[in-house]
Every structure is written in C-alpha cells, then in structure tokens.
Amino acid sequence: MNNREISSRDLNVLWHPCTQMKDHETIPIVPIAKGDGVYLEDFEGNRTIDAISSWWVNLFGHCNPYINAKVIEQLSTLEHVILAGFTHEGIVRLSERLVKLSPEGLTRCFYADNGSSAIEVALKMSYHSHKNKAQERGLFVSLSESYHGETLGALSVGDVALYKETYEPLLIQSLQTPSPKNQSIEAAQEAAKSFEKLLQERGHEIAALIVEPLVQGAGGMKMYHPIFLSETKRLCERYGVHFIADEILVGFGRTGSMFACEQADITPDFLILSKGLTGGYLPLSVVLTTEAVYGSFYCDYNPSRSFLHSHSYTGNALACAAANATLDIFESDDVIKNNRVTMDLIAQELKRFEKFLKVKEVRQCGMIAAIELEGFEPSERIGLKIHQHCMKNGVLIRPLGSVIYVMTPYVITHDELKTVFSAIEKAIESIDI
Ligand SMILES: *Cc1c(COP(=O)(O)O)cnc(C)c1O
C-alpha cells in the first residue's frame, strides 16, 4: 500500500469535513498509516508533527502506551451498554472524578458523544429548567465571533459567518453581545458592560449566556481576560440567567489551569467538556450541572418535566476508559504544573514573530499560541499557503483564515516545539516582504 493508492481510493468515495472537495484536484489528501506521540506517519515513512493535536483533541500523543493499554483492557470486558436504566464502573468513576475536579457546586454529569451534541443538551436543559420553574425564556446570548459547533442549535448560538450564514433561516433565536477586544482588563470590563445593557433591556427573555472561557477557538483564537467571566457570571446571577461554559476546547489544561473557569473563580451553571476528555481517542462529551438545575427536573413521573434526551452511544464504555486513563495521566505526571515550563518556552518562541510587517498580533493563553497576519484578502487563501509550506517542513498546522495557531499535544519536547515555530517562521518569511 502506498500514499498515492490510498489517496486516489479516498477521493472516489469520501466527502471530507470542512472541505471544498474540488481543492483536492490539486492538493493531495494526506494518508496516515500510524501515529506515534506528536508524530503522524504516512505510508512511505514520512513523519509530520501534529501541531494542532488533530483538531484540538489530543493531549498525550498518538498511540499513547498507557491509554492504549487501558482501552484494550476495557475492550476485553465491556465495549458498550445502554445508559438508560443501566450503568458501568468506568462511567461512575469518571463522573466522580469530574465532579471532584470541576468547580465547586457542579454535581451532576449528563453525557453525550460529541461537542455539538453536548451544546444541544445544555441549551435544551437550560430552557427546560426555566420552563419547569414556570418561566418562559426562549433566547440565548453568545459572544461575537463565538463558535459552539455545527449542529443547528449549536450553530444558532455561534457567530462565525463562514459556517452560519447559509443556514440562517433554519436557526433558533439568539443574540450576540460583543466579546472583549483583547486580553486587557479594560476590554473585558467594556464587553461586560455591553452585556449588562442587553440584560437591562431583555434579561427576562434570556435563558442563558453561553461563552467559550478565555479563548474563542474557531472564531480566530481570540483571547480575553478572566475578569470578563467573573463579571458576566455576576450579572447572570442578578438576572436569573444561566451561565454556560463551553470548555470543549479549553478544558483539560489548555489555558494553563485544568478548567479555564478556575482562573475567574466561578462555578458556571453548565460546564461542557469534550475534545480533551478522552485524550483525543474516542468521541465523548459531558455536561456538568448544579443540584439546582438537576432539582428542577426531579419529581414524580411527568413526561413534560423530565429531560428526555438521549444519544445511542451515550456514555460508551471504551470512551470512558480512555477518559479515565487520561485523568490518571493528569494525576501521575503533574501535567498542569509541568506544562508551565512548555508555556514559558512558547512565550519565548513567539518573540521571533514580532519583527514581521505582516504580523498584526501575537497572543498566547496557556498552551495555545496564535499569530495573526494582516494585509491579505480572503481570496488569497493565505492560511492554506502557510499550511502547505509548513507541511513541506514536516509540521501540520491549519490556520483559521489569517490566524496561524499552535496547539500541540502536551508531550511535545522543546526541540519539537522549536521545529514547529521555525517552520511557521520560514512560511511567513516566504510571504512577508
Ligand atoms: C469543537 C468545539 C465544539 C464542537 O465540538 P464537536 O465535537 O466538533 O461537535 C463546540 N465548542 C467549542 C468551543 C469547540 O471548540
């Protein structure tokens, strides 16, 4: 088997996500034969550093020996069981651990099998919880440039035109409030003020505010100060509005703390986790919520007050085994503390981009780095050019328009990290004047 053969068979039968398939008339599909730590290897032995953690999911490398062993162990006892009326040891242990790790006051875990589905769960739960308390609140508020996934409900509360515009007539009601312009305290306070104005006008109609804490991912790796979270949480409480923290991307150490909400010292009404939850192995997501929300559904059997939501693969046992193994590694390797050294190194590496004319801004939040370019038209597809240039140098990055970002697995060595940033530097040199 070789690269060319797999690629051409692929193009006969597949339709790839987030892709204009005609591009592949000229850009080859990259077939991957195996994964090994931060490396992806094709069928001819060429290795590429996965500097975006395979769409932000991988934490401890591909084919991590410990996680592999734990999934295999689970595979020989139970692969999956229905979660309605049944349970298994892995999911009980995982839920106990998540409740303990997450901000104080989150006591209940509701599972789904991908990020967008978990967003749907939280939106429905929030709306329904208010309804159970005889309040009709049919509006959700999210931030400008937010991204919460691509199923219709999740798309409705997102604000990335590229994904949303076409489907606008199909979407549910939502309002956007400005996100903080930058990482300063002033920008955070200004944005919180705008949200307060919105609450004063329409607070009683609003079910929840949904935010991506500290880093707005797919909207362009925009970053902001934790004070925005504490301010908006306080305002939500005052107006009886739920606070939904979408930590699908930022959870599990991406921003430097286990959960981003910790940096603002808040307990959201809903905390949504997915991507890093299984270390990047298997699809799984969870919505953690409070006893107050749980209690608003708890009563003698009454279909209209029960949360009748389900997915076939909810709480899959293999995925739970991968998640428990991932949490084992966080405990045994003191990951959050050790990542601080890597974070300092990233800060050092980012300095080399300040000299470029076409670099508008360089930013970092924990283990996420972004280099924003300016002066390019969307039609120039500068992100694609940078991607292709880096691929030639053995580094996989996938810019969001003109925002180049690096979000590697935590197990990357310092030499490998240097390789990643050098490849990006060379790519920018090739286009900067
Ligand atoms: C990826 C992502 C989602 C959607 O998760 P999927 O598993 O891709 O459906 C939602 N919110 C945020 C912040 C994300 O980064």
Side-chain angles (χ1 to χ4, degrees):
M1 233 176 311
N2 60 39
N3 288 345
R4 193 186 291 256
E5 184 203 327
I6 299 288
S7 308
S8 67
R9 277 168 50 199
D10 173 295
L11 292 179
N12 284 335
V13 286
L14 267 87
W15 188 345
H16 288 267
C18 208
T19 299
Q20 170 48 258
M21 290 301 290
K22 193 165 190 292
D23 281 352
H24 286 301
E25 286 183 7
T26 50
I27 304 167
I29 278 276
V30 185
I32 296 303
K34 56 183 174 191
D36 172 21
V38 298
Y39 291 95
L40 297 168
E41 193 176 312
D42 69 14
F43 285 79
E44 286 150 23
N46 303 304
R47 281 154 74 86
T48 304
I49 297 178
D50 185 355
I52 55 164
S53 300
S54 281
W55 254 347
W56 321 347
V57 297
N58 193 290
L59 300 185
F60 301 120
H62 295 277
C63 283
N64 178 288
Y66 181 77
I67 305 176
N68 280 14
K70 288 295 184 181
V71 173
I72 291 167
E73 191 182 301
Q74 182 64 45
L75 192 54
S76 59
T77 52
L78 177 71
E79 82 301 342
H80 181 71
V81 63
I82 177 175
L83 199 67
F86 288 77
T87 193
H88 54 92
E89 192 273 338
I91 202 163
V92 174
R93 189 152 44 94
L94 177 61
S95 308
E96 288 169 348
R97 297 172 90 174
L98 291 173
V99 164
K100 205 161 154 199
L101 276 171
S102 62
E104 182 83 41
L106 294 169
T107 54
R108 294 283 162 183
C109 301
F110 190 101
Y111 289 86
D113 46 26
N114 64 76
S116 302
S117 310
I119 297 286
E120 306 289 337
V121 166
L123 297 178
K124 284 174 69 180
M125 231 181 224
S126 169
Y127 172 76
H128 196 165
S129 172
H130 289 299
K131 206 180 181 81
N132 283 348
K133 293 194 257 179
Q135 287 188 28
E136 181 57 38
R137 290 171 177 257
L139 262 180
F140 293 98
V141 177
S142 63
L143 305 189
S144 54
E145 276 100 40
S146 59
Y147 178 88
H148 298 289
E150 289 165 56
T151 53
L152 291 175
L155 199 59
S156 303
V157 292
D159 186 44
V160 180
L162 178 67
Y163 306 126
K164 183 172 183 176
E165 227 162 44
T166 310
Y167 305 102
E168 204 74 62
L170 306 180
L171 304 180
I172 60 170
Q173 284 189 79
S174 82
L175 297 172
Q176 274 67 52
T177 186
S179 52
K181 286 192 186 74
N182 55 47
Q183 287 172 286
S184 70
I185 292 182
E186 294 71 36
Q189 282 167 335
E190 193 188 320
K193 280 232 169 66
S194 304
F195 177 55
E196 184 169 19
K197 241 201 220 119
L198 180 59
L199 286 175
Q200 283 161 354
E201 287 159 17
R202 308 189 66 172
H204 59 285
E205 297 172 69
I206 298 168
L209 168 71
I210 180 168
V211 301
E212 294 162 90
L214 302 188
V215 182
Q216 295 188 280
M221 294 299 156
K222 299 209 163 68
M223 301 172 185
Y224 60 83
H225 196 279
I227 252 192
F228 179 71
L229 300 173
S230 41
E231 289 286 302
T232 48
K233 175 65 173 72
R234 188 177 53 79
L235 290 166
C236 281
E237 273 168 33
R238 194 190 302 158
Y239 287 85
V241 169
H242 288 141
F243 187 100
I244 305 177
D246 172 357
E247 294 218 18
I248 290 171
L249 160 65
V250 296
F252 301 100
R254 278 291 171 199
T255 66
S257 50
M258 191 62 172
F259 301 113
C261 281
E262 288 169 32
Q263 295 184 41
D265 202 15
I266 57 161
T267 299
D269 298 285
F270 300 90
L271 173 68
I272 309 177
L273 305 170
S274 184
K275 293 193 165 100
L277 174 60
T278 63
Y281 266 64
L282 287 154
L284 182 70
S285 59
V286 60
V287 178
L288 281 105
T289 191
T290 61
E291 230 29 43
V293 170
Y294 179 71
S296 66
F297 290 86
Y298 199 86
C299 62
D300 290 331
Y301 184 71
N302 171 353
S304 73
R305 281 196 66 164
S306 309
F307 194 60
L308 301 178
H309 182 105
S310 59
H311 297 286
S312 319
Y313 281 100
T314 294
N316 176 262
L318 294 172
C320 289
N324 275 311
T326 298
L327 292 182
D328 290 346
I329 297 175
F330 271 104
E331 279 172 24
S332 62
D333 295 2
D334 210 349
V335 173
I336 298 295
K337 181 157 161 265
N338 289 331
N339 276 355
R340 279 185 212 140
V341 183
T342 314
M343 282 158 55
D344 286 346
L345 197 88
I346 292 171
Q348 286 299 318
E349 291 293 319
L350 280 174
K351 289 197 181 124
R352 59 168 105 200
F353 298 99
E354 285 161 10
K355 62 177 183 267
F356 291 112
L357 286 169
K358 298 213 161 152
V359 170
K360 179 180 172 196
E361 189 183 52
V362 171
R363 44 187 188 264
Q364 179 187 5
C365 180
M367 299 292 286
I368 307 172
I371 302 148
E372 181 162 355
L373 306 176
E374 64 183 346
F376 298 99
E377 291 300 320
S379 60
E380 291 179 70
R381 302 188 77 182
I382 193 65
L384 179 63
K385 284 179 188 147
I386 301 265
H387 159 79
Q388 289 179 309
H389 200 283
C390 288
M391 281 298 285
K392 287 201 188 95
N393 288 306
V395 174
L396 164 58
I397 55 157
R398 204 171 188 280
L400 295 154
S402 54
V403 179
I404 303 166
Y405 66 89
V406 172
M407 195 187 314
T408 70
Y410 301 161
V411 291
I412 193 160
T413 66
H414 293 180
D415 280 346
E416 288 159 351
L417 208 48
K418 277 197 162 47
T419 304
V420 169
F421 284 103
S422 305
I424 296 171
E425 187 178 25
K426 280 191 210 123
I428 299 178
E429 267 164 9
S430 77
I431 50 119
D432 206 74
I433 34 140

